[in-house]
Amino acid sequence: MNHISCQDFMAEIGNYLDGDLAAEVRTRLEQHLAHCKTCTVVCDTARKTVRIVTDSDSFDLTGEALGSIAGQIVRRIKSSPADG
Amino acid sequence: MRPPDPASFALLTAHWGFVPNLFRAQVETAWLVDAEAALVEALLFRPSALSRAQKESLLLGRAAARGNRYWYTLHRGVLPLMGRAGQPDFREPVAALDATLVLALGDFLCTLASGIAPQEDFPAVQPESGELPVIDPPAAPAPSTDPEAYSDFRDHYGFVPRVYRRQAARPDALEAEARFLEALMVEGPELGRRRKELILLAVAARARNEYLCSLQAQELAVMGVPVETSDRITLDPEAAGLPESERALLAFVRAPSAGAAAGLQAAGFSHAQVMEALAAAALGDFLASLAAGLAVEPDFAVRVSFPPPAENNLHPGEADSRLKEQAPESDPDGELVDAAQRGDLAAFEQLVVRHGRRVYRTLVGILGDAEEARDLMQDTFLKAFQHLGGFERRSKFSTWLLSIASRTGIQHLRERRSDESLDSAGDDEAFRPRQVRSWIDDPEQAFARAEMRALVEKELRRLPAKYRVAVMLRDIEQLSTEEAAGALELGVPALKARLLRGRLMLREALASHFAGGAA
């Protein structure tokens, strides 16, 4: 089986993180990881990054803010001409 | 065999500086070269609302989106000679119609190139993932007098289909389209009309275009093909009970390639027949692209619907399509949308509450500014309410809504500053990780939750908009790749490329906070 390069690995890392790969490609990437410490670190820290970003719940709107905005939207609809 | 018409080669040379190999490769069917060149002349070379450079730039984007190396290389090669493209204002209906026509021409040309695979005219350049501008379907003002071409369409179809009526502001384009239709579908000497209409149907089905499928089913019905047969062809041409030769023909036009063209010749079709079939496929893609770009309402009842691709299905195919009578794709918002369409404001308010955060994050993703995002959130929902009557459930309500949000955000970004854009420049350049130290095991423990959130928000704001919005929709809003791509009106590969770049840039930014030991 052909060995893949770090560049090949980086080209597929997005699909690897999302589990969006055929089994055969996944196996080859994992064979690369088994002997490449740099790609292992990049992959591990990229996975942590995704987890941190997802868990951060960044740019959330509070329920109160959302309700207030929804009320404003409905008031603007009511005050605008019917044909928009 | 007729020699090539020197006039059309001269025309191409006059406007491109050379005769592209795509047309040279068709010299044996010179009449086709003439017909194609006339269409190119009308839609690309002729002065109109957009400059030539702007049109070439749109064609480059279309070739990129289609992954078509031949046309990508050609437009990349000629663009520097055309001067500065500038950003057109696609809110102008004339510019939007012009752009929609040019993009449809791009589809037409890409399909031809797929089936011919000509040698590139410049050193070949692999297409970079592309993004096309957001173009709202232009309004169609009722013409004071009918364009002359309407009588040609009445002769051809028995009426004037809406896909042409919507182009009333460009009578010259309509004339060119009518001439091409006549030259290929009626006068084209190689395949019978019925076969070419079948090709249009098969291509419409491949493009998942309900408008063109319903129009073609009607055309074929007039020619004696039962609508049930058209339904079966739409769902799966292989299982429609067609003769072997027609199955082979439809298989070719659904996935044209030079190899498939050679296979069709091996199956007994002449080279000229294959070229005519390919031109019909290109016409099908042209019409499907126009119908989609102009958001044309079907002329006839839609018999086969194409719901949006299932989640995580990267290869949507005909398996997703279904007869209209079968259970429609369920949309969790269906009942509220029904009520809101009847004018129930309380139902609409519930939709705002249900989807407000997603809309907000889409806008923050594009604009990087929470306050602007709140303002534009209102504009987004007002637009959605105004256009709710036209929402036809071809996608889920949430996807439709987010596409309005992203268009609104992109428009605002354009108006606000010139240094940020969501265009595709640079997406494909390899990103080389610089931080290669491993991180502490549990980075979440290093900061309090609020601090972590502030840190992530700060770094997200620093990302270029196109990467930020991909990360926000995918990793924070947790949309599927297809949903995020749909919301941003990008292809899945373009979305994936941006998401990866955004994640890796964030990784670099966060590394200084979490790095533990050496790699």
Side-chain angles (χ1 to χ4, degrees), chain B residues 41-209:
Chain B
E41 195 277 324
L43 302 183
L44 175 61
F45 300 153
R46 197 175 295 169
S48 60
L50 301 182
S51 71
R52 179 72 191 284
Q54 287 167 339
K55 293 187 215 174
E56 292 279 353
S57 180
L58 285 169
L59 290 174
L60 179 75
R62 177 59 95 212
R66 294 257 315 235
N68 191 288
R69 193 176 66 186
Y70 176 79
W71 283 109
Y72 188 81
T73 300
L74 188 144
H75 298 304
R76 274 276 295 249
V78 300
L79 250 177
L81 312 173
M82 304 281 167
R84 223 179 120 66
Q87 179 64 50
D89 184 354
F90 291 118
R91 288 170 304 179
E92 289 293 325
V94 188
L97 175 59
D98 206 357
T100 308
L101 280 161
V102 170
L103 291 172
L105 177 69
D107 276 313
F108 175 87
L109 295 172
C110 286
T111 300
L112 287 178
S114 302
I116 294 172
Q119 177 68 44
E120 283 79 10
D121 303 284
F122 296 90
V125 189
Q126 205 58 36
E128 294 173 0
S129 65
E131 184 205 334
L132 289 164
V134 177
I135 302 168
D136 283 324
S144 49
T145 54
D146 277 1
E148 284 182 18
Y150 277 13
S151 64
D152 298 326
F153 295 121
R154 284 196 189 94
D155 287 346
H156 190 89
Y157 293 98
F159 70 109
V160 185
R162 288 183 179 139
V163 71
Y164 301 111
R165 287 191 180 274
R166 292 291 303 274
Q167 303 174 55
R170 279 291 303 272
D172 63 318
L174 286 173
E175 271 178 39
E177 291 167 48
R179 278 203 307 275
F180 187 81
L181 202 62
E182 179 76 5
L184 175 67
M185 300 300 287
V186 181
E187 294 172 357
E190 305 296 341
L191 299 164
R193 170 95 180 254
R194 177 180 172 280
R195 277 181 160 178
K196 284 180 275 192
E197 298 288 354
L198 283 175
I199 289 172
L200 291 187
L201 175 65
V203 171
R206 190 248 289 128
R208 303 166 65 80
N209 190 289

Side-chain angles (χ1 to χ4, degrees), chain B residues 326-345:
Chain B
Q326 293 173 359
E329 176 89 344
S330 70
D331 184 337
D333 297 315
E335 287 181 20
L336 284 177
V337 172
D338 282 341
Q341 281 180 326
R342 292 193 298 269
D344 181 342
L345 271 183

Side-chain angles (χ1 to χ4, degrees), chain A residues 7 10-15 17-18 20 37-38 41-46 48-63 65-67 69-74 76-78 80 83-84, chain B residues 314 345 348-349 352-353 356-357 360-361 364 374 377-379 381-382 385-386 433 436-441 443-444 449 452-453 456-457 460-461 471-472 474-476 478 496 500 503-504 506-507 514 519:
Chain A
Q7 203 176 353
M10 288 305 295
E12 287 295 341
I13 187 174
N15 288 328
L17 290 172
D18 284 340
D20 189 10
K37 195 157 183 188
T38 301
V41 168
V42 172
C43 187
D44 175 60
T45 51
K48 283 175 177 162
T49 300
V50 174
R51 194 175 74 206
I52 288 169
V53 171
T54 300
D55 292 347
S56 74
D57 209 18
S58 287
F59 296 110
D60 192 20
L61 272 183
T62 63
L66 190 53
I69 291 171
Q72 287 170 38
I73 289 168
V74 169
R76 280 180 67 182
I77 291 172
K78 282 181 179 164
S80 62
D83 63 2
Chain B
L314 293 181
L345 271 183
F348 189 72
E349 190 170 2
V352 175
V353 171
R357 285 188 176 85
Y360 173 70
R361 281 179 170 147
V364 173
R374 284 179 194 228
M377 211 179 137
Q378 295 201 24
D379 294 352
F381 279 107
L382 287 174
F385 187 77
Q386 283 163 0
V436 291
R437 281 194 302 163
S438 59
W439 289 7
I440 53 178
D441 280 340
E444 287 88 342
R449 192 171 164 73
M452 185 68 102
R453 178 171 156 174
V456 171
E457 289 184 357
L460 276 169
R461 277 198 202 91
V471 170
M472 289 195 56
R474 188 74 177 83
D475 289 340
I476 299 180
Q478 303 268 291
K496 283 185 170 184
L500 176 59
R503 286 169 169 176
L504 292 179
L506 279 175
R507 190 196 74 91
F514 303 123

